[in-house]
Amino acid sequence: MKRLLSLLMLVSLMACGERADWKGWVYPNRDDLTSDVPLGRFTSLEECRATATEALFALKALQGDYECGFKCKLRPELGLSVCERTEK
């Protein structure tokens, strides 16, 4: 868990000052998408994918999944973020 937190802090610092249009989420159990771990903001899809893969490994979430969203906006009335597009 400490490794995951360190990784997330590093990614957040790297994104400072750059346009971060990607957001990432990890789902420790791919069959339960109501339980997610937000990964933060990224400047590229590749950066989001790499961080998500490392986070799944750090969480030992062998049955987990992830999602990267482009230009996401929080929709409080829905209780979630809506993205222009999502990728894996």
Side-chain angles (χ1 to χ4, degrees):
M1 191 61 150
K2 285 184 180 181
R3 183 173 182 229
L4 176 61
L5 291 175
S6 297
L7 176 67
L8 294 176
M9 287 176 57
L10 177 63
V11 169
S12 295
L13 288 174
M14 289 173 32
C16 289
E18 297 182 34
R19 187 175 177 130
D21 286 336
W22 290 92
K23 290 179 85 174
W25 295 268
V26 165
Y27 304 98
N29 178 350
R30 74 176 55 153
D31 294 325
D32 180 12
L33 300 182
T34 63
S35 176
D36 66 274
V37 177
L39 297 176
R41 302 178 72 90
F42 304 94
T43 57
S44 70
L45 174 59
E46 292 75 22
E47 185 183 11
C48 180
R49 285 176 173 158
T51 302
T53 301
E54 290 181 26
L56 286 170
F57 181 76
L59 291 169
K60 297 182 174 129
L62 300 176
Q63 300 300 316
D65 204 357
Y66 72 90
E67 181 176 41
C68 296
F70 182 70
K71 292 192 176 179
C72 303
K73 296 200 185 308
L74 181 61
R75 298 281 306 269
E77 70 276 11
L78 300 176
L80 51 86
S81 291
V82 176
C83 307
E84 283 187 17
R85 86 175 204 246
T86 58
E87 299 280 340
K88 285 187 66 170

